[in-house]
Amino acid sequence: MRGIMTDPQKRKSFEQSTGVSLDSFFKEQEKANHKKTGQIFWENLEGAVRRDEEVDKKEEKGPLGNLLKKAEEETINIPLWLGILLLCWIVIQHSRGEKEILANLPPDARLASPETVGKFSYIPTRFLSQLWGSFTNIQFPSAVETKIINAYAYAFGCNLEEAEKEVSEYPSLAHFFRRNLKPGARPIESQAQMISPVDGRMLHFGEIESENQGIEQVKGIRFSLKDFLGEDSEIFDVIKKQQIHNKQKGERKKHLYYCIIYLAPGDYHGYHSPVDWKIKERVHYPGYLYPVANWAVNLIRGLFAMNERVVLTGEWEHGYFSYTPVGAYNVGSMSLKFEEDFTTDRKNQKATSEREKKVYSEEISLKKGEDIGFFNLGSTVVMIWEAPASLFMVPRGEKVTLGQELTQEITPEIARKQIERLNTVFEVDDVTQEIKKYY
């Protein structure tokens, strides 16, 4: 080929016989040689890799070798996971530290300042609650709605076995919120002085001895009766009559009690009558829709007197009785079975709107355990009533169920047993005198 390149005659003869330029011919040959060389290179490289792998396998024969290799592969992310665990530990310790600090603070120091509470009012809780209500009323396809309800029930611990219907029979989440219970799911203790009107948790209970004492919201913090029930509430006349009677007779025949029960989102949302009584009037306070969860109750003074609420006032066998369902964030809607056209959480309603008072031309008679209404989600019921000396049968913080005995009238025999029990701790000398304080 070198002779062709140097001899012009041979070059010309080659090009004429092949019809290909000699320069082009050599370029194509060069490309072919390069390609072949590359293939040989990669084939040699792959062979070398296979030989190395075979050597590695021979060196790692047996369980120890495999264990070492696995350990080597899995230790790559150890620094990352150590960092994540350290971060979690720091967050948990910080949270514990904050809880310990808050626990050691006096109740007043834990409350939000009036300025901070004022800023809460700018949050559109009513609009957001109505938006949530609109969403829960959407009727998705049955298969989708069933999954939504099951997910909600799982998240909040709803007892689906007690529900009147199967999950697939509820057309929307809102219908599930307002679910009825199966007959007999909540037996009513008919002999009890008073029963729990709801499923929930006992937040607080106690006795009211003066109009300025108020109701305990959290330990050491109270809210005003005037703010909660209104300045013209009948309760202030009841308190004055009790004080006059006690001063003249030197003994107390009647007491004024209160209790607050919180309904969680997973609880049955119906509220019922705790006693046989008659409702004389209903007062609707528009108010705010702040959350009523434990963190909010500990943060906002007078929370229950600020939120939307429906105050029902009447009488039972022992005198004054008031029953107040309190609204909350996502729970603006409350209903009354005996007044079907009554609504709460109305459009264009403001927290500062005037209250609405209605005196019933005919008193509403309710039996113990009878339906009063429904929350659209969990919330709170506050009761205030006049009664003889009574014992609360449910400790603070404990769960209660609809129909469960809530209070028991203290008879001389019950009082004696209580004092004898206390005597083992407090060493009361004169049990008889102590009984008189109870009865």
Side-chain angles (χ1 to χ4, degrees):
M1 296 299 288
R2 290 181 183 274
I4 294 175
M5 290 293 292
T6 57
D7 189 336
Q9 193 67 28
K10 290 181 180 181
R11 181 189 183 103
K12 185 177 180 181
S13 177
F14 174 82
E15 290 177 349
Q16 285 178 348
S17 61
T18 59
V20 178
S21 168
L22 191 59
D23 292 334
S24 299
F25 173 78
F26 278 111
K27 286 181 180 179
E28 291 298 326
Q29 287 291 322
E30 188 176 0
K31 288 181 181 179
N33 291 336
H34 279 305
K35 185 176 181 181
K36 187 175 181 180
T37 303
Q39 288 176 345
I40 293 171
F41 171 80
W42 288 113
E43 288 174 359
N44 291 335
L45 182 61
E46 288 175 0
V49 169
R50 283 196 297 271
R51 287 193 298 273
D52 288 343
E53 289 177 349
E54 290 173 359
V55 170
D56 290 341
K57 287 180 181 178
K58 289 179 181 178
E59 291 177 352
E60 294 179 1
K61 275 186 178 180
L64 181 59
N66 292 332
L67 185 63
L68 290 172
K69 185 174 182 180
K70 186 177 179 181
E72 183 181 357
E73 291 172 353
E74 294 182 354
T75 53
I76 295 173
N77 289 325
I78 280 183
L80 174 63
W81 286 109
L82 284 176
I84 292 172
L85 290 173
L86 178 61
L87 181 61
C88 291
W89 183 82
I90 292 171
V91 170
I92 291 170
Q93 292 302 315
H94 181 71
S95 176
R96 285 177 177 173
E98 285 185 340
K99 288 180 179 179
E100 289 177 3
I101 291 170
L102 288 173
N104 293 324
L105 288 174
D108 278 336
R110 283 179 253 163
L111 293 169
S113 66
E115 293 78 13
T116 302
V117 175
K119 291 176 182 177
F120 290 161
S121 64
Y122 292 107
I123 301 173
T125 53
R126 188 169 300 281
F127 169 75
L128 293 172
S129 295
Q130 291 171 351
L131 195 65
W132 169 249
S134 299
F135 169 75
T136 59
N137 277 288
I138 295 174
Q139 297 187 15
F140 293 100
S142 180
V144 176
E145 193 65 58
T146 299
K147 290 183 183 299
I148 292 173
I149 293 174
N150 278 324
Y152 177 89
Y154 177 79
F156 293 102
C158 303
N159 189 342
L160 298 179
E161 293 181 0
E162 296 176 340
E164 186 180 42
K165 301 177 181 178
E166 295 295 325
V167 170
S168 58
E169 296 181 59
Y170 295 102
S172 71
L173 195 56
H175 285 83
F176 178 72
F177 291 157
R178 298 189 294 270
R179 66 191 180 278
N180 288 314
L181 299 176
K182 289 177 180 177
R186 294 290 183 276
I188 304 299
E189 296 193 26
S190 56
Q191 300 304 313
Q193 181 194 45
M194 180 183 294
I195 62 168
S196 172
V198 293
D199 286 359
R201 188 175 299 278
M202 177 70 78
L203 291 187
H204 288 285
F205 61 78
E207 187 174 354
I208 300 171
E209 297 181 348
S210 70
E211 62 180 68
N212 296 321
Q213 177 184 335
I215 300 173
E216 191 173 43
Q217 175 176 318
V218 295
K219 189 174 181 180
I221 299 296
R222 296 177 177 269
F223 58 92
S224 164
L225 287 171
K226 290 182 179 179
D227 291 341
F228 185 69
L229 299 175
E231 294 184 357
D232 59 347
S233 172
E234 182 186 340
I235 194 171
F236 300 111
D237 292 332
V238 172
I239 292 172
K240 287 177 182 177
K241 287 178 182 178
Q242 283 191 2
Q243 289 174 336
I244 292 171
H245 178 273
N246 296 341
K247 188 174 182 180
Q248 290 177 345
K249 303 293 184 180
E251 59 182 3
R252 301 185 67 181
K253 285 295 183 183
K254 287 186 179 180
H255 301 250
L256 196 60
Y257 296 106
Y258 70 89
C259 80
I260 305 173
I261 304 176
Y262 168 69
L263 290 75
D267 289 327
Y268 163 63
H269 302 325
Y271 41 92
H272 297 242
S273 177
V275 295
D276 296 344
W277 67 305
K278 293 182 178 180
I279 302 174
K280 296 189 294 184
E281 66 177 34
R282 180 260 298 160
V283 183
H284 172 222
Y285 290 88
Y288 296 96
L289 289 178
Y290 295 138
V292 293
N294 190 54
W295 65 267
V297 172
N298 283 278
L299 187 67
I300 304 174
R301 182 194 294 272
L303 174 63
F304 300 121
M306 297 169 69
N307 271 10
E308 183 169 14
R309 58 199 180 278
V310 181
V311 180
L312 304 174
T313 305
E315 289 186 348
W316 70 315
E317 62 176 321
H318 298 299
Y320 175 85
F321 201 99
S322 79
Y323 183 106
T324 306
V326 181
Y329 179 60
N330 284 341
V331 201
S333 180
M334 296 171 280
S335 64
L336 296 175
K337 187 174 181 180
F338 52 82
E339 193 178 347
E340 293 183 355
D341 59 343
F342 171 72
T343 59
T344 61
D345 194 19
R346 302 162 187 167
K347 290 184 178 179
N348 302 320
Q349 174 181 298
K350 296 181 179 178
T352 54
S353 299
E354 290 293 321
R355 70 178 189 174
E356 177 188 276
K357 183 174 181 178
K358 179 177 181 177
V359 178
Y360 296 109
S361 56
E362 293 185 12
E363 295 178 343
I364 309 296
S365 295
L366 294 172
K367 295 294 183 182
K368 187 182 297 181
E370 190 174 345
D371 291 353
I372 293 181
F374 263 95
F375 289 115
N376 267 358
L377 202 62
S379 193
T380 307
V381 169
V382 180
M383 297 187 294
I384 306 171
W385 68 95
E386 203 174 8
S390 305
L391 281 176
F392 283 87
M393 307 305 291
V394 181
R396 291 179 180 86
E398 290 293 315
K399 288 282 290 182
V400 293
T401 56
L402 169 63
Q404 178 181 342
E405 184 178 27
L406 201 63
T407 65
Q408 183 182 75
E409 183 177 346
I410 300 178
T411 62
E413 182 60 29
I414 291 175
R416 180 175 294 279
K417 288 181 180 179
Q418 281 292 106
I419 298 305
E420 287 175 351
R421 181 178 65 82
L422 294 173
N423 189 34
T424 61
V425 179
F426 299 106
E427 297 182 356
V428 179
D429 295 326
D430 191 346
V431 175
T432 303
Q433 291 299 317
E434 290 296 319
I435 291 173
K436 290 181 179 179
K437 294 180 182 180
Y438 277 85
Y439 184 73

